[in-house]
Amino acid sequence: MGSLRAILSHPDDFYPLLKLKMAARHAEKQIPPEPHWGFCYSMLHKVSRSFALVIQQLTPELRNAVCIFYLVLRALDTVEDDTSIETDIKVPILNAFHRHIYNPDWHFSCGTKHYKVLMDEFHHVSTAFLELAKGYQEAIEDITKRMGAGMAKFICKEVETVDDYDEYCHYVAGLVGLGLSKLFHASKLEDLASDSLSNSMGLFLQKTNIIRDYLEDINEIPKSRMFWPREIWNKYADKLEDFKYEKNSVKAVQCLNDLVTNALNHVEDCLIYMSNLRDLSIFRFCAIPQIMAIGTLALCYNNVEVFRGVVKMRRGLTAKIIDRTKTVADVYGAFFDFSVMLKAKVNNNDPNAAKTLSRIEAIQKTCKESGLLNKRNLYVVRSEPMFNPAVIVILFSLICIILAIELLRTGV
């Protein structure tokens, strides 16, 4: 019923949602027959359905390389995230992970649910990795080695300063950006992007996830792991967990807004990176997550619900972004629209209001100066008419089908 209500509230979401559902089913049917590749693509769908959809659009050779890159780093991340593993066991595994990917006999049991299966049957990932071209293998090994070392460093080190925050995000996500740029270049489809732009692509996504996942991370069992920098949160509370409690809501939201403003520092670099891409499939692969990130920040900003549960974009809007992100104009348009949403939520009494507004206005200026805002297909703020006749007919037909099925099921 909730999904139907959402569609009725946003009828223009229906067609993109239908296309997304069909694309997901098609992607699942394209899983390779070889056991190791079948495992890898099946696992990809289980640990990240949205990522699996955008990766399916890449050319076959690059698709395989990115799939394995993602699963290797997801496995590395599973080791880091498992707070039940003792430090003296975890650190050596992180530091040596780049060598384990060459060994089809290696596995390490940790994590839960799908992640445990990934770790228990990691030999499939290693077998597939060994079939990649040497250029792809070298890029994946290099990034895995650097990321593992960085993760090991922060197992024994808290995120104290903003510089620590940027360094941690570089290790766990900026390096992903560097690695993907290397894979794109190895495919001969793109020029090699600069490290600084590639790093910003990763930092923007990672900071968004860290902001959004406050409650999940602080409630982690057996012990919490948090990456909000003390230099920022200590301005608003004595302990990071204080933000969970309703009595601290005002200060919690002020800290949240401070962190969102910090994340916005990476937007211009991301826009430059995406503007330089030539291959359409690579462009969409990069652009869709970035639009989702700026949209998530717009939802999280000034929103106390970040400290009460999960704040995420409605599925219909996600489907629309996936369906309509096809050009650089669509990216600039989406970033502009979400910046408008952000600006409308800024409270002048917020201690960082002036800094936040300055960042938003700089982003909007960049989007306007691109000259592309009137050439886009994707609109976030200015939606299509609510009662498009064709959409209403489709919705009415769908409701009739659902009711007919329900009547047959109940025998009425």
Side-chain angles (χ1 to χ4, degrees), residues 88-251:
D88 60 343
I89 296 174
K90 181 181 292 189
V91 169
I93 293 174
L94 293 173
N95 280 318
F97 209 92
H98 65 287
R99 292 195 294 271
H100 296 320
I101 60 179
Y102 285 95
N103 181 6
D105 295 325
W106 183 86
H107 66 92
F108 179 75
S109 186
C110 65
T112 60
K113 299 178 181 177
H114 297 312
Y115 301 100
K116 186 178 188 310
V117 176
L118 172 63
M119 298 305 298
D120 287 342
E121 301 190 40
F122 192 76
H123 63 279
H124 290 302
V125 180
S126 297
T127 301
F129 169 78
L130 293 171
E131 293 182 2
L132 298 176
K134 190 171 181 58
Y136 294 131
Q137 289 183 5
E138 289 173 347
I140 294 171
E141 178 190 3
D142 174 57
I143 297 302
T144 305
K145 180 179 180 179
R146 293 160 67 183
M147 185 180 291
M151 287 177 169
K153 176 179 179 177
F154 276 91
I155 293 297
C156 310
K157 174 183 171 64
E158 295 293 326
V159 178
E160 297 285 347
T161 67
V162 173
D163 285 344
D164 290 340
Y165 185 43
D166 285 342
E167 184 183 10
Y168 173 76
C169 290
H170 164 72
Y171 286 132
V172 300
L175 285 172
V176 180
L178 269 67
L180 286 171
S181 292
K182 288 185 176 187
L183 295 180
F184 299 157
H185 184 245
S187 73
K188 299 182 171 56
L189 294 172
E190 299 288 352
D191 295 328
L192 183 61
S194 73
D195 284 359
S196 61
L197 293 180
S198 302
N199 189 57
S200 285
M201 289 283 284
L203 262 62
F204 188 59
L205 298 181
Q206 183 65 20
K207 288 184 176 182
T208 299
N209 291 340
I210 287 173
I211 291 166
R212 180 199 62 199
D213 293 342
Y214 167 86
L215 194 63
E216 178 183 335
D217 289 342
I218 204 74
N219 290 333
E220 179 75 28
I221 295 173
K223 59 181 178 179
S224 64
R225 291 214 60 204
M226 283 302 299
F227 304 100
W228 287 26
R230 180 184 293 272
E231 184 180 339
I232 290 180
W233 65 255
N234 201 215
K235 293 186 287 185
Y236 307 96
D238 294 327
K239 294 183 292 185
L240 190 51
E241 57 264 32
D242 289 349
F243 295 142
K244 288 196 301 182
Y245 307 114
E246 193 170 346
K247 64 181 180 180
N248 300 317
S249 293
V250 172
K251 290 296 184 182

Side-chain angles (χ1 to χ4, degrees), residues 345-387:
K345 296 172 72 176
V346 176
N347 183 338
N348 288 329
N349 293 323
D350 186 276
N352 292 286
K355 185 164 62 173
T356 306
L357 287 170
S358 176
R359 275 278 71 234
I360 293 171
E361 287 162 6
I363 292 167
Q364 291 183 341
K365 183 172 183 287
T366 298
C367 293
K368 289 175 181 176
E369 289 179 349
S370 72
L372 297 171
L373 294 184
N374 62 342
K375 299 178 181 179
R376 53 179 157 152
N377 295 313
L378 176 61
Y379 286 87
V380 176
V381 172
R382 194 188 80 194
S383 184
E384 288 80 4
M386 284 293 292
F387 298 105

Side-chain angles (χ1 to χ4, degrees), residues 282-313:
I282 291 175
F283 168 76
R284 281 174 48 78
F285 172 84
C286 294
I288 290 168
Q290 296 292 330
I291 294 174
M292 296 293 293
I294 186 67
T296 299
L297 289 179
L299 290 174
C300 289
Y301 183 83
N302 215 38
N303 187 353
V304 73
E305 291 304 312
V306 170
F307 305 96
R308 306 287 178 264
V310 179
V311 174
K312 59 167 60 176
M313 202 176 292

Side-chain angles (χ1 to χ4, degrees), residues 77-94:
D77 190 55
T78 299
V79 176
E80 186 215 18
D81 280 348
D82 193 330
T83 54
S84 69
I85 306 172
E86 296 297 330
T87 300
D88 60 343
I89 296 174
K90 181 181 292 189
V91 169
I93 293 174
L94 293 173

Side-chain angles (χ1 to χ4, degrees), residues 401-412:
I401 292 169
I402 292 171
L403 287 175
I405 292 172
E406 183 64 17
L407 287 171
L408 287 171
R409 187 182 69 83
T410 58
V412 175

Side-chain angles (χ1 to χ4, degrees), residues 270-290:
C270 294
L271 291 171
I272 292 170
Y273 182 101
M274 290 183 282
S275 297
N276 290 337
L277 295 172
R278 298 192 304 259
D279 182 83
L280 177 60
S281 64
I282 291 175
F283 168 76
R284 281 174 48 78
F285 172 84
C286 294
I288 290 168
Q290 296 292 330

